[in-house]
Amino acid sequence: QLTMSLNSSTLLNEENTQGPKRNAECLESLELQTPASFQDNPLQQLQLASQEVLEKAKKSGRSKCPRCNSSRMFYCYTCFVPVETVPTKEIPTVKLPLKIDIIKHPNETDGKSTAVHAKLLAPDDVTIYKYPCIPEYEEKRHEIALIFPGPDSVSVKDIAFHLQKYAKKGVCDSDSDCSREPLLKQAKIEPKEEKNPNECISSDRSQGTRLTKIIFIDSTWNQTNKIITDERLQGLLQIELKTRKTCFWRHQKGKPDTYLSTIEAIYYFLVDYHQEILKESYKGQYDNLLFFFSFMYTLIKNAKCCAGKE
């Protein structure tokens, strides 16, 4: 669920079993489509920068990565930079209200990950790590949260309340299992945490929360167990986005439609954070995080229509 292919020709080949000739016909017909034909696109209300640069790149085909010289479509998913046919100045940048760490499963195909979108569009605020090479979050546990659905997950609007409990008690609150080894390790640095509660509470009053970083796991849902059980992530406040439905075209069977792709999860979390925590009206500030995703959504959706699959 948390992945996406970035190579349009590969995507079309996977979705359309009639071969390259049929794919070419689909792409040609897409060029004749008008915005009116996309009325059922749930992403059409986004306030996005012009995607003309992506349209041009699609017509010209794959291009070289300026760093590794690999042949890619739109951008290089290993170097996190646009290809030669997509000038960096024509790609929007988004400033985020907090830092984001993305932990990528080592077996996840780079070219299928939507995590790279976040790094491309918010380069100053997003860091991607390949598991098991991830940071130690122990000392900052009172101001970090993990986006992951589970029995102990809380909603975005409850973040401030739970983080205050984390700050006051060092790490674990009354609902946590303080017998787990990572939490006992945290207790050793409790003196350092004692000077933070007032700061956290003061900040909660003025800013809504002391949250400074959010962690996302980038993998298929069947691969998440290896990462989520890592001791370095134990004891972190977990947040679940329960009210959003995915638009991702590779939805995994047996999983609810509220399980989002990585870039969707990042986007929807930030929208909720902006409204629920920062208490500000949302006016499309983070819409461009879906700049690539929305373009690929339309491309794949219409390729399926062309192939007679919808």
Side-chain angles (χ1 to χ4, degrees), residues 8-218:
S8 63
S9 62
T10 300
L11 282 165
L12 291 173
N13 281 327
E14 291 178 355
E15 302 293 351
N16 184 349
T17 59
Q18 298 186 45
K21 182 178 179 180
R22 181 61 171 167
N23 290 339
E25 293 172 354
C26 283
L27 285 173
E28 289 175 4
S29 69
L30 287 178
E31 309 212 353
L32 299 177
Q33 299 283 349
T34 63
S37 67
F38 302 151
Q39 290 181 357
D40 58 344
N41 181 349
L43 303 175
Q44 66 178 345
Q45 299 302 319
L46 296 172
Q47 299 180 43
L48 299 173
S50 172
Q51 293 177 321
E52 183 179 358
V53 62
L54 300 183
E55 290 287 355
K56 291 180 179 178
K58 182 187 71 176
K59 293 177 182 179
S60 60
R62 297 166 70 88
S63 181
K64 287 184 178 182
C65 168
R67 293 186 183 176
C68 68
N69 291 320
S70 297
S71 177
R72 304 285 191 235
M73 179 65 75
F74 304 129
Y75 52 82
C76 181
Y77 43 75
T78 53
C79 299
F80 309 139
V81 295
V83 295
E84 293 177 347
T85 55
V86 182
T88 302
K89 64 181 180 180
E90 295 188 41
I91 299 300
T93 56
V94 184
K95 180 61 181 175
L96 307 185
L98 37 67
K99 300 298 182 182
I100 289 178
D101 281 1
I102 300 174
I103 301 174
K104 186 177 179 297
H105 193 282
N107 294 335
E108 188 58 33
T109 304
D110 289 340
K112 293 184 177 181
S113 173
T114 62
V116 65
H117 296 183
K119 182 61 178 176
L120 281 161
L121 299 164
D124 294 337
D125 298 316
V126 175
T127 305
I128 298 179
Y129 298 94
K130 182 170 288 189
Y131 187 84
C133 298
I134 66 174
E136 293 285 349
Y137 295 109
E138 199 169 40
E139 294 187 22
K140 296 291 185 179
R141 195 165 278 154
H142 59 283
E143 53 188 56
I144 297 175
L146 171 66
I147 302 295
F148 194 81
D152 298 322
S153 298
V154 304
S155 63
V156 173
K157 67 179 180 180
D158 293 327
I159 289 176
F161 172 72
H162 287 277
L163 284 183
Q164 284 189 40
K165 293 196 297 180
Y166 273 49
K168 291 176 182 178
K169 297 185 178 182
V171 172
C172 51
D173 56 39
S174 58
D175 296 326
S176 298
D177 179 6
C178 295
S179 65
R180 289 180 294 184
E181 183 179 356
L183 300 188
L184 290 175
K185 288 182 177 180
Q186 179 68 11
K188 295 178 182 179
I189 62 169
E190 190 171 355
K192 294 183 180 179
E193 301 295 344
E194 288 178 351
K195 60 184 178 182
N196 287 327
N198 291 336
E199 177 187 350
C200 290
I201 295 172
S202 174
S203 181
D204 283 327
R205 290 171 179 167
S206 62
Q207 301 177 24
T209 181
R210 274 287 293 138
L211 186 67
T212 61
K213 180 176 291 186
I214 284 288
I215 303 170
F216 293 83
I217 296 176
D218 184 58

